[in-house]
Amino acid sequence: MPDTPDPHWQVVDSRGATYLLQRLGVKAFGGLVKDRINMSITLPDYIKDVAKVQIYCAWAEAVLGEASFTTPLMTTAANTK
């Protein structure tokens, strides 16, 4: 996990709309256990496709890294409607 104060998952759809999702890291309970990293996310139904997945620092308002796809990935919500 990047050593930043507030890293989040962020996705960009084929229209260029960005969606800030959950925090990448989950703080451990009272510091008794090592912090966890959210390695997967569940997309809300209103996101119909994904062109890029980014790690975004909400504190610095900067993209720390991204993976883009040649063609947007359709979500299951887009396929059911």
Side-chain angles (χ1 to χ4, degrees):
M1 173 167 53
D3 190 22
T4 63
D6 201 18
H8 283 73
W9 287 101
Q10 178 169 283
V11 296
V12 181
D13 68 13
S14 60
R15 297 172 302 152
T18 58
Y19 303 94
L20 186 63
L21 303 174
Q22 67 195 47
R23 277 184 55 85
L24 185 63
V26 177
K27 294 292 181 187
F29 179 71
L32 300 175
V33 183
K34 188 175 179 179
D35 294 348
R36 288 187 311 119
I37 298 174
N38 286 319
M39 299 296 285
S40 63
I41 53 175
T42 301
L43 296 175
D45 288 340
Y46 55 84
I47 299 175
K48 303 302 179 197
D49 62 49
V50 176
K52 296 179 185 177
V53 177
Q54 301 175 327
I55 301 298
Y56 179 80
C57 179
W59 182 81
E61 297 181 354
V63 174
L64 304 173
E66 75 176 21
S68 55
F69 305 103
T70 313
T71 57
L73 302 175
M74 300 303 289
T75 64
T76 55
N79 293 331
T80 59
K81 295 182 180 179

